[in-house]
Amino acid sequence: MKRAAIIIFAALFAFVLIVAMLELSALPSPKVNLPAAVAANMAASGVEHPVTAVLLNFRGYDTLLEIAVLLLVLLVVLAVSPREGKAPAASHEPVLQVLARVAVPVMLLAAVYLLWAGAHRPGGAFQAGAVLGAAAVLLHLAGLLPGWNAPRLFMRAGLAGGFLVFLVVASALLANGALLHFPPEFAGALILLIEAGLTVSLGLILAGLFLFLA
Amino acid sequence: MSTGLIFAGTGAILFAMGVAGVMLLAHLLRRILAFNLMGSGAFLILIGLAQRAGLVDPVPQAMVLTGIVVSVAATALALALTRRLHKLTGAYTLPATRDD
């Protein structure tokens, strides 16, 4: 009875949502035209790709809080991990090791390309960080770079580095009057600096989340 | 009906399926998957509705990109808590509570 009621409720909910969206699309377009506002301010953003401009310049707060959330989640995962943050044991299969040795340099190259491409086409820190994280997981599982077994200072610095770089840049820009208010002439360089830090930290955090949960 | 609206409609159906899953399923792993389904539905609605006129809007795209990363983090957090619960109680379901 309860089960049927929930299913009927969900179906009804989807139906109402779809009807509301159809009605919404029949209305005239809203007064606030966000694509036009983004396009008008692209010249001051320091990058050429609109999504990167929104992520790191127009709505930089979101990205700053996002990397903070990721770092917080990694700390919680470490805190509740029953094995005191030990990553899974690495295998030493020769086939996997050869594959990792071939694939990881290419993945690193792809990550750097994605980071650089973010300024003028789809790409950026998050995509590059995901590739970097996958490369780190592959290296660990192949037993080639088992740094997760005993995280040293270097690893901890890498995990927190992206957030700290972002925070330092954001607070340095407070001198301009507002948090994350980039001066147009330095915006490109600052965004690249932040994105480079974010890429390293995101790669390490994503790999850490995977390996500590595995 | 534009492609964007079809995406948004699919997103609404996925979201409702996720809601039903979260309420109906007892196993926590299934519940986390249903929760992820809700997230995917919300992302599809955001992207689809924003480009219903055929124009690409970069603002929702950037928000969804942020949202995907946060949902990955939330999933990892939920999995870690589930594993902790399993270690403490040996069960993959939440303890029963009285409805009052």
Side-chain angles (χ1 to χ4, degrees):
Chain A
M1 189 59 217
K2 190 179 158 199
R3 198 182 163 79
I6 289 175
I7 290 175
I8 291 171
F9 161 74
L12 207 65
F13 178 59
F15 178 73
V16 169
L17 210 55
I18 291 173
V19 170
M21 288 190 301
L22 287 176
E23 288 292 318
L24 183 71
S25 67
L27 294 177
S29 51
K31 285 224 177 75
V32 182
N33 193 347
L34 283 177
V38 170
N41 289 297
M42 279 307 292
S45 70
V47 291
E48 289 164 31
H49 191 59
V51 174
T52 308
V54 172
L55 267 180
L56 284 152
N57 200 331
F58 304 148
R59 289 200 59 93
Y61 291 96
D62 289 355
T63 311
L64 179 61
L65 289 178
E66 170 191 11
I67 185 75
V69 164
L70 272 173
L71 195 60
L72 189 67
V73 165
L74 187 80
L75 293 181
V76 175
V77 167
L78 280 174
V80 301
S81 182
R83 284 176 296 153
E84 276 84 39
K86 278 267 171 54
S91 72
H92 292 281
E93 277 186 59
V95 178
L96 187 59
Q97 290 196 344
V98 170
L99 179 72
R101 278 180 209 278
V102 173
V104 166
V106 183
M107 289 168 92
L108 280 182
L109 191 65
V112 174
Y113 167 73
L114 279 172
L115 173 64
W116 182 252
H120 46 86
R121 61 180 66 193
F126 300 104
Q127 292 86 334
V131 175
L132 214 55
V137 169
L138 187 61
L139 274 180
H140 180 88
L141 292 183
L144 292 173
L145 195 67
W148 292 98
N149 287 336
R152 302 247 180 92
L153 186 66
F154 207 53
M155 173 85 80
R156 287 161 211 250
L159 284 170
F163 178 54
L164 292 180
V165 166
F166 206 153
L167 209 57
V168 165
V169 171
S171 34
L173 289 173
L174 271 179
N176 267 356
L179 200 73
L180 286 170
H181 185 275
F182 295 107
E185 61 268 31
F186 300 122
L190 285 175
I191 286 178
L192 191 64
L193 173 71
I194 291 173
E195 281 205 298
L198 281 183
T199 304
V200 174
S201 282
L202 272 173
L204 286 175
I205 290 175
L206 289 177
L209 286 180
F210 179 85
L211 289 171
F212 290 137
L213 279 173
Chain B
M1 191 175 186
S2 65
T3 327
L5 275 181
I6 295 176
F7 280 131
T10 314
I13 293 170
L14 280 179
F15 189 86
M17 284 168 68
V19 170
V22 167
M23 290 206 263
L24 285 176
L25 300 170
H27 196 290
L28 283 174
L29 208 55
R30 289 166 189 260
R31 207 174 262 196
I32 292 169
L33 284 177
F35 193 69
N36 267 298
L37 201 61
M38 279 172 66
S40 303
F43 297 152
L44 263 179
I45 291 176
L46 267 175
I47 291 286
L49 269 189
Q51 56 189 38
R52 64 182 187 275
L55 297 169
V56 176
D57 187 348
V59 178
Q61 290 203 4
M63 288 174 76
V64 166
L65 196 56
T66 307
I68 288 171
V69 178
V70 172
S71 79
V72 167
T75 307
L77 181 61
L79 288 174
L81 292 178
T82 304
R83 204 173 61 172
R84 182 76 180 156
L85 182 80
H86 178 68
K87 186 170 177 279
L88 292 178
T89 66
Y92 279 114
T93 50
L94 289 176
T97 51
R98 279 176 297 126
D99 292 335
D100 53 5

